[in-house]
Every structure is written in structure tokens, then in C-alpha cells.
Amino acid sequence: MALSGGSTPKAIFEGLASPEYALRVDWQHVWLFWGDERSVPPQHADSNFGMAMHAGMGRLPIPPQHIFRMHAESHIEANAAAYEALLKAELPDGRFDLVMLGMGNDGHTASLFPGTEALKVFDRWVVANPVPLLGTDRMTLTYSCINAARNIAIYVIGESKAEMLDRVLEDPYSPDLLPSQAVGTEGSKALWILDKAAGRLLLG
Ligand code: 6PG
């Protein structure tokens, strides 16, 4: 599975590692990858890897050799190519069983931000994506990689997401502006997991 960053995924990792859920998964059969990463080292407060491991994934009995961090802190283009090669070597038939995503208030998912280059890359699975709005580069899976997954789950929780969620799901298709719209395909639909607050405007 590929993990995301953000406060919503963080809450999910805390839940997965809680006594109520930790024993429900045979962690020996779980391989952890990331859907995106900031250009910081793992110990940095902004690291998606660091967040996931501290939130609970690091306390689960997942064999260390099954955990694959994105090395986005340096040589991000070369490391994106290396991560793509890793996925091609590690993923049976090149597909994730599960890609877990969040959605930002601007409609981005993974590090596929509005108006960025990665939105238009379909011949790669992992790229370095300059995000001018944040003044930084991110490493991210592309739509080609995400949409090949057997299961795609997008978690959208909280009132702050209600407006954007309504736009993503109801507005005309415009992924350059609303990148989350392009997640999922006819053959591999995205599962949107919402709370009532986030879905408030969808209820008609
Ligand atoms: C990142 C995440 C990003 C996140 C969404 C939702 O690196 O920022 O991968 O795509 O999942 O922005 O984050 P929140 O749940 O914090 O709103």
C-alpha cells in the first residue's frame, strides 16, 4: 500500500496502530510505500514518512525490509526515478493493492497540485514535481501509477473540506484546477471515504 501525508491520514495511522485495530491485520504481509513526500529528511516535522512512523506505523510488526521511504530530501529527480524502479521491482504486475490518499483544501491529492507539471505526466510512475505556490519540490506518484492500483481510497474528513469536495465531485471535469477529479478510472474507481461534515453539501 502507498500512504499519504496530512492530518487525515495521520489520524488513520493512529487508529490502525491502536489496540482495537492493530491485531486485525497480518502485518507480515504488508509492504509500505508512500504516495508523496516533501523535500525534507525523515526526521523533519514535515516528513510524510516521519509522520506515518511516529503516528503508529513504526510501532506495528511490519518487517523493516518491507518499508520503502521516498528519498525526496536530495537529488529529487534521480531519487524519483530510483523510486519508480523500486516500484517496478517490488510491485507484482506494477500495481499497488491500495493507494491511500487525502484531499487538500485546494483540491490536490498526493502532491498533484493545481497547475503543476506532474498533472500532465503519464509515462512515469514517480516524478519530482515543482510546486511554485509552496516554493518547493515534492516527490509524487503520477495519475498513471495511482490509477493502476487495485484499490484507491480517498479520505476526506471535516467541515473545512466541504466546499472543495462539492466542487471536485460536482463541478465540470477540470483536473488542472481540481486534481482530485482525475483519481480513479472506470476500471478502478476511487472510494471516497467522508464524514458528514465533509459531505455536507453533497446531501442535496
Ligand atoms: C501531503 C499529502 C496531501 C494530503 C492532503 C490532505 O503531503 O500534503 O500527501 O496530499 O493527503 O493535503 O491533508 P489533510 O488531511 O491534512 O487536509
Side-chain angles (χ1 to χ4, degrees):
M1 65 188 291
L3 306 182
S4 270
S7 57
T8 307
K10 181 171 189 277
I12 291 164
F13 304 147
E14 289 164 345
L16 274 176
S18 69
E20 185 180 358
Y21 290 99
L23 301 180
R24 296 194 190 186
V25 176
D26 183 356
W27 296 103
Q28 297 299 313
H29 296 291
V30 175
W31 275 251
L32 285 190
F33 299 84
W34 269 260
D36 68 320
E37 187 56 275
R38 289 84 180 275
S39 45
V40 295
Q43 63 275 22
H44 191 284
D46 289 347
S47 167
N48 288 342
F49 169 84
M51 178 279 282
M53 300 309 278
H54 291 129
M57 304 309 278
R59 293 192 294 279
L60 294 168
I62 302 172
Q65 65 272 26
H66 291 185
I67 299 176
F68 301 94
R69 176 174 80 83
M70 282 181 162
H71 293 248
E73 65 272 28
S74 62
H75 311 296
I76 192 166
E77 284 85 1
N79 282 331
Y83 204 79
E84 176 166 321
L86 172 77
L87 295 184
K88 290 183 175 173
E90 292 289 339
L91 296 182
D93 68 17
R95 302 175 68 196
F96 281 108
D97 289 316
L98 169 64
V99 173
M100 170 204 170
L101 299 167
M103 184 195 76
N105 289 333
D106 60 353
H108 85 265
T109 190
S111 281
L112 298 167
F113 285 85
T116 58
E117 295 166 10
L119 299 179
K120 309 229 182 306
V121 176
F122 295 95
D123 61 348
R124 295 281 306 276
W125 292 4
V126 188
V127 293
N129 190 29
V131 185
L133 205 63
L134 301 179
T136 186
D137 292 336
R138 293 280 191 93
M139 190 180 294
T140 187
L141 301 184
T142 60
Y143 289 124
S144 301
C145 183
I146 293 169
N147 288 341
R150 291 180 184 80
N151 297 279
I152 305 166
I154 309 180
Y155 294 85
V156 186
I157 305 295
E159 168 60 32
S160 70
K161 300 287 175 70
E163 295 277 343
M164 180 47 71
L165 183 66
D166 188 52
R167 288 188 57 198
V168 165
L169 295 181
E170 305 287 356
D171 281 9
Y173 187 67
S174 173
D176 197 54
L177 186 65
L178 302 167
S180 294
Q181 286 185 326
V183 172
T185 62
E186 272 309 303
S188 181
K189 289 183 170 53
L191 174 65
W192 291 79
I193 300 178
L194 320 173
D195 67 352
K196 285 193 172 63
R200 175 174 60 82
L201 299 175
L202 299 177
L203 300 174

